[in-house]
Amino acid sequence: MSVDGWNTLLVLGGIRSGKSEFAESLVADAPMVRYVATAPEGDPADTEWATRLAAHRARRPGTWTTEETAADPGRLAEVIAAAGPNETLLVDDLGGWVTVLLDPARQPADDPATIAELAAAVRASSARLVLVSPEVGLSLVPTTPLGRAFTDALGAANRAIADACDAVVLVVAGQPAWLKPAAPRQPAVPSQAGPGQAGAPVATAAEWAEPPPAVAAGLTIEPGMELPMPDDYVGPQAVDRLATLDIPGAGLGVLERVVGFAAATQGTATPAPWTSVRVLLLHGDHAGGASAGATPDESARRARQARAGQGALARLAAECGASLQVVEAPASAAIEDEPALTAEQVESALRYGWRLAEQAADAGVQLLVLAACGAGAEAAAAAVLVATTGAEAPMVLGRVLTEQGQIDDAAWMVRCATVRDALHRTRRGPRDAKDVLAELGGGDIAVATGVLLGATARRIPVLLDGPVGVAAGLVSRDLAGQARHWCLLPDHGGQPAVRHAADVLGLAPLVDLRLGLGEGATSLATLPLLRSMLSLAATLPVHPSLRDTEYDEDEFAEPEPAGPGPSRPTPTEPEFAEPEPAGPGPSRPTTVEPDEAVTVPESPGRRAD
């Protein structure tokens, strides 16, 4: 499921309704788009049709690729079925596809079976897929047999594809009307709660049904951006306030930094625990030696697992009540031979990451967690660290482990050589932030950089705990120095790249768990602890020695009943009664109840009258 709450979308509309332009706008920020053209070329003498086709081609960005399927209607289902989870496909349109399908030269044919095959491919697609189709159900019944056959076949195709897609939108006069909003998926994650307790919230891939707003027009991501800083006054003020609370012992220890960080990012000396948390799992593989030792297709399996609400990351997110989104980043080329991305792909990936942060802010998210699962991401992050900090590759590259947990030194050496060769290839090139992303970083680090910049712009703190996150932190620092102040590092996990980058960024880890559950898992594992500290800091009273009076009589008083009922009896003795004297001395006066006979004991030397 994509960030918009849908993975497959059908865009319907009449002639000149603006359906194609709307569909193109939905994928404009995608790093890579494959445009699947279904219409035949037509009669060369038909200049009006040729003009329409030329207008469609002129609107496509130069970074898009085009694939023609007009020669074989069955080819469209094959293209969709073969598309990977990191691809974005725009099919325009199904009307042209049905035209080819009904071509008399191809008859007789089993057209309903071909439509069913296409619907099955759409339903099973793991790619981000947008299909455009004319809406013919509102027009008059054609007067010709061929016209009726076309409307019948296209109507059947639209119904089958609409049923297979996550969402359907109808464009009328350029205005989209969502007919089938994408509902949040609820994967079946077994509850980890004990007997008699409610189950943990399920991590989902989307939180909202309506399409999110587009990224701000005219956004330019360039070095020297002026973004907001956390409040550097209330942060220390919140830490100083902890010394006044009724806390036994030495207090919160190193976790005082969590309170200061939350106070500065929330702008209040009494910060509240983060209740709305979103995990962004970036999936983008790196080709070449960067992924040496990685199990083929393992990263794609992890991404599918997370989409289904399974695996360690999804279960931890469910325990924390956090939503989980799998974000497909562009695949990166072998950095030892060529740039990982083109300059256009870097710009698109940065804007896409910024858009992810904006959508999180619009949805009320208070905290982001960056996670990653791409093959070769560790080596790409190491290359970024070497280029930006001057570190040596062997110093920041962690050991490579096999599926059986054994150390693979041969794969580690290949990765070291890959980083060395990539740095040698780019030794005379510029080291600007975007150049580093294009030459070395790749798609996942570029998207993560955009997320950090967008989160900074919208004042959302971000938890980092892995190589992709800290590499993005180093790059974002060169674009906007304020970004690193919105990042918190719960743990370096024993990873040399994270430890080194944290030193450069000034991020001190809070704990030392050394979990090996993947990037993002440590942040989720520590999140309940961080929330508990914020809750204590916000709710504990001031220590009695620092109050104006020695005791606050209301502090330990039983609360009055909230609803109607018998009134609470008034005590006849003070709440804090003076104890009886232990030794000889004057007796304590006895409380006399009305109409009660009291016998006064006789004291020595006194006779009772």
Side-chain angles (χ1 to χ4, degrees):
M1 186 72 68
S2 76
V3 67
D4 299 321
W6 52 263
N7 200 58
T8 53
L9 171 69
L10 175 62
V11 180
L12 297 170
I15 299 173
R16 297 295 189 183
S17 62
K19 59 184 182 298
S20 294
E21 291 91 335
F22 177 76
E24 292 164 6
S25 70
L26 293 175
V27 298
D29 290 328
M32 298 182 298
V33 176
R34 184 160 30 138
Y35 187 95
V36 183
T38 62
E41 288 295 333
D43 186 356
D46 190 346
T47 57
E48 191 273 338
W49 180 251
T51 301
R52 289 197 180 201
L53 294 180
H56 274 263
R57 295 189 183 102
R59 287 201 307 264
R60 305 172 200 166
T63 57
W64 290 15
T65 60
T66 303
E67 184 160 349
E68 304 280 350
T69 63
D72 179 13
R75 173 68 180 152
L76 179 57
E78 296 174 359
V79 170
I80 294 174
N86 61 336
E87 294 187 74
T88 299
L89 271 62
L90 173 58
V91 179
D92 195 359
D93 66 3
L94 294 183
W97 180 76
V98 169
T99 300
V100 178
L101 183 67
L102 297 179
D103 189 343
R106 301 183 182 278
Q107 300 299 323
D110 192 352
D111 299 337
T114 306
I115 293 174
E117 291 174 1
L118 178 62
V122 171
R123 182 175 284 106
S125 175
S126 60
R128 183 166 168 82
L129 177 62
V130 178
L131 303 103
V132 181
S133 184
E135 172 51 53
V136 294
L138 302 179
S139 60
L140 297 176
V141 177
T143 59
T144 63
L146 185 59
R148 289 192 292 272
F150 175 80
T151 54
D152 289 347
L154 184 55
N158 286 347
R159 291 178 63 180
I161 300 304
D163 183 67
C165 283
D166 299 323
V168 180
V169 60
L170 175 66
V171 179
V172 180
Q175 306 302 310
W178 291 81
L179 307 180
K180 180 184 177 182
R185 293 182 180 178
Q186 299 292 335
V189 178
S191 170
Q192 303 299 314
Q197 296 176 352
V202 175
T204 60
E207 282 192 319
W208 60 90
E210 294 296 330
V215 91
L219 171 65
T220 302
I221 300 177
E222 295 292 346
M225 299 177 70
E226 290 295 331
L227 299 180
M229 280 281 290
D231 194 324
D232 57 359
Y233 172 74
V234 298
Q237 187 182 42
V239 175
D240 292 342
R241 178 179 169 275
L242 295 177
T244 68
L245 301 183
D246 190 6
I247 300 177
L252 303 186
V254 296
L255 295 180
E256 287 184 349
R257 297 205 305 268
V258 178
V259 179
F261 174 81
T265 54
Q266 295 180 22
T268 174
T270 55
W274 302 292
T275 56
S276 179
V277 181
R278 178 164 296 169
V279 184
L280 299 178
L281 176 59
L282 308 182
H283 173 231
D285 292 340
H286 298 256
S291 58
T295 304
D297 298 326
E298 176 66 10
S299 65
R301 186 181 74 85
R302 292 294 182 187
R304 291 193 302 270
Q305 191 180 56
R307 284 192 184 96
Q310 301 172 357
L313 191 71
R315 291 180 180 275
L316 286 171
E319 291 291 338
C320 296
S323 62
L324 173 62
Q325 294 178 350
V326 180
V327 180
E328 296 296 341
S332 306
I335 58 175
E336 65 269 33
D337 300 325
E338 58 182 319
L341 300 175
T342 65
E344 293 79 10
Q345 287 177 315
V346 170
E347 293 288 349
S348 182
L350 287 172
R351 289 195 301 270
Y352 186 49
W354 186 296
R355 181 187 175 199
L356 290 170
E358 282 199 332
Q359 292 168 348
D362 293 338
V365 172
Q366 301 166 344
L367 180 71
L368 287 174
V369 177
L370 268 185
C373 66
E378 297 86 351
V384 171
L385 265 65
V386 172
T388 55
T389 68
E392 295 291 335
M395 185 185 76
V396 294
L397 264 173
R399 309 301 290 269
V400 180
L401 298 178
T402 65
E403 287 184 315
Q404 294 74 31
Q406 298 175 344
I407 295 176
D408 190 345
D409 285 333
W412 179 81
M413 288 187 286
V414 171
R415 294 188 184 187
C416 288
T418 298
V419 175
R420 177 202 62 198
D421 294 345
L423 270 294
H424 180 76
R425 178 181 60 81
T426 61
R427 65 191 182 280
R428 293 188 178 90
R431 286 287 188 264
D432 293 338
K434 293 183 179 180
D435 297 310
V436 170
L437 291 175
E439 295 290 344
L440 306 171
D444 49 0
I445 298 179
V447 173
T449 301
V451 169
L452 293 183
L453 294 173
T456 300
R458 297 299 297 268
R459 300 178 180 271
I460 302 178
V462 184
L463 297 186
L464 311 176
D465 66 7
V468 170
V470 295
L474 288 170
V475 177
S476 64
R477 177 194 60 171
D478 296 334
L479 292 169
Q482 303 88 352
R484 68 181 181 90
H485 296 282
W486 293 87
C487 299
L488 185 66
L489 182 74
D491 187 8
H492 56 60
Q495 303 176 80
V498 180
R499 186 186 295 112
H500 174 74
D503 290 340
V504 176
L505 293 171
L507 302 176
L510 300 172
V511 296
D512 188 9
L513 300 179
R514 297 180 183 266
L515 295 179
L517 301 176
E519 183 164 354
T522 300
S523 295
L524 290 174
T526 58
L527 183 56
L529 174 64
L530 307 186
R531 283 170 165 169
S532 298
M533 296 304 102
L534 293 178
S535 179
L536 283 176
T539 58
L540 282 178
V542 175
H543 194 276
S545 62
L546 300 177
R547 300 177 192 161
D548 294 336
T549 59
E550 184 176 359
Y551 293 105
D552 184 352
E553 295 186 357
D554 293 332
E555 181 179 355
F556 303 102
E558 180 182 348
E560 293 291 341
S567 59
R568 178 183 172 187
T570 304
T572 56
E573 294 196 12
E575 191 170 3
F576 297 96
E578 180 182 349
E580 294 288 345
S587 300
R588 178 181 173 190
T590 304
T591 302
V592 180
E593 295 292 338
D595 302 329
E596 180 181 353
V598 178
T599 302
V600 180
E602 181 179 350
S603 300
R606 181 181 177 184
R607 181 176 59 85
D609 295 332

